[in-house]
Amino acid sequence: MAPEIVERLPDPQTYLDLRAAGGLSSYSLEAARTGLPKSLHCVVLELGGEDIGMGRIVGDGALSVQVVDIVVRPEYHGKGYGRLIVQALSDYIASNIPDTAYVNLLADVPANRLYEKFGFRETAPATIGMAYKKGSE
């Protein structure tokens, strides 16, 4: 059985479960309920009725967009499923986001190698990624 990319949001609990399974930072259920519907675009990777991966695009849709939440459950790593997710998001960007928009992502190593195949490049030393997480002072 082949996985299928579906353009939809995961339910908030599934979103949190996928992030946790993939080793991504955690959020509250309330934050997921509030934030997910504000996504510009989201895809879920389904296999046999189970959500095994996802990816989202957030931002204003014209000036600046960010690719976020790309994750595949660890038991499905090494099968090219992450590439399917990034391809679906890249296709959306190519068809729906202006050519002048700034498209970015923060890449965990070694996933940066995958993103490079889709045209993403490191911006350092000209720019560096910075983050501030409220409540973590």
Side-chain angles (χ1 to χ4, degrees):
M1 168 180 331
E4 179 182 7
I5 292 283
V6 180
E7 295 181 350
R8 68 169 173 84
L9 294 171
D11 69 74
Q13 188 60 58
T14 299
Y15 168 80
L16 297 174
D17 293 346
L18 283 169
R19 285 185 60 85
L24 303 180
S25 60
S26 63
Y27 294 108
S28 70
L29 184 58
E30 185 57 33
R33 285 183 180 138
T34 301
L36 284 173
K38 296 177 183 177
S39 303
L40 286 177
H41 186 69
C42 186
V43 297
V44 174
L45 184 64
E46 297 179 355
L47 181 63
E50 178 187 4
D51 294 347
I52 64 164
M54 68 177 174
R56 291 191 311 139
I57 300 170
V58 299
D60 61 30
L63 299 170
S64 181
V65 299
Q66 186 172 32
V67 176
V68 298
D69 296 333
I70 296 174
V71 64
V72 174
R73 289 191 181 278
E75 59 268 32
Y76 298 101
H77 284 186
K79 299 178 183 294
Y81 295 166
R83 185 177 187 76
L84 292 175
I85 293 168
V86 178
Q87 183 66 62
L89 296 176
S90 293
D91 290 348
Y92 177 86
I93 290 166
S95 297
N96 297 281
I97 304 297
D99 290 344
T100 55
Y102 183 73
V103 180
N104 71 84
L105 59 80
L106 294 174
D108 293 334
V109 175
N112 58 308
R113 294 191 318 253
L114 170 62
Y115 306 135
E116 287 171 350
K117 294 175 182 174
F118 289 88
F120 288 92
R121 299 290 176 258
E122 290 185 33
T123 59
T127 61
I128 59 169
M130 298 178 74
Y132 167 79
K133 187 161 183 179
K134 186 176 175 188
S136 65
E137 298 97 279

